[in-house]
Amino acid sequence: MESKILELSSLGKTWILDLDGTIVKHNGYLIDGKDSWLPGAKEFLNNIPKTDMILFLTSREKKYQDITEQFLKEEGIQYHTIIYEAPYGERILINDKKNSGLKTALAINTKRDCFCEYNFKINEEL
């Protein structure tokens, strides 16, 4: 499958990513006793500029915080925060557009346990 390209501005970004079924195998930490990456997810995370902010969301109970954060640490993933015990329903992002017209909110829905086929490139003109 050919990957789709997101054209993004050169401004700093905030990446809001779900963990289970989006980045790692859904409930792998419960079923297999540990997390495992979905193909392409770790590489995608490693390509996010270190100056950007990564915020993970998860419905995992807070009691799984230590194993979750240990996995990310062992895998060398830099992030800013993880929000635990998020509701199972929709996640809604509301943000204002820049006066230039730059849309500052994007959303991608993927199939469970299938990392998205998106890559990104920076457009200095946005």
Side-chain angles (χ1 to χ4, degrees):
M1 176 181 273
E2 186 176 317
S3 73
K4 299 169 183 121
I5 304 290
L6 291 175
E7 215 172 353
L8 304 174
S9 76
S10 60
L11 299 171
K13 288 155 215 41
T14 303
W15 299 84
I16 304 170
L17 303 158
D18 181 50
L19 280 176
D20 289 298
T22 305
I23 299 295
V24 297
K25 179 181 172 185
H26 187 261
N27 287 340
Y29 69 106
L30 295 174
I31 298 165
D32 304 327
K34 63 180 181 157
D35 281 307
S36 60
W37 294 108
L38 295 178
K42 184 176 180 183
E43 295 78 11
F44 181 87
L45 291 171
N46 285 331
N47 283 325
I48 294 175
K50 301 298 180 215
T51 53
D52 287 1
M53 177 181 281
I54 297 176
L55 186 152
F56 288 116
L57 293 174
T58 182
S59 295
R60 294 179 186 198
E61 295 177 37
K62 201 105 158 110
K63 68 182 181 182
Y64 297 108
Q65 179 176 355
D66 289 343
I67 65 166
T68 302
E69 294 176 16
Q70 185 63 35
F71 170 77
L72 294 170
K73 181 179 179 182
E74 288 172 1
E75 293 291 320
I77 300 301
Q78 294 186 15
Y79 63 93
H80 288 80
T81 195
I82 301 176
I83 297 173
Y84 293 89
E85 299 179 346
Y88 295 110
E90 296 89 347
R91 285 145 190 194
I92 302 158
L93 172 63
I94 300 173
N95 205 3
D96 61 320
K97 288 191 297 187
K98 300 281 186 200
N99 288 336
S100 67
L102 178 68
K103 294 178 182 176
T104 58
L106 303 172
I108 299 169
N109 286 284
T110 65
K111 290 198 287 189
R112 179 168 284 170
D113 286 340
C114 180
F115 185 70
C116 69
E117 294 293 328
Y118 283 88
N119 286 304
F120 61 90
K121 74 174 187 175
I122 303 301
N123 180 338
E124 298 291 339
E125 297 178 15
L126 291 178

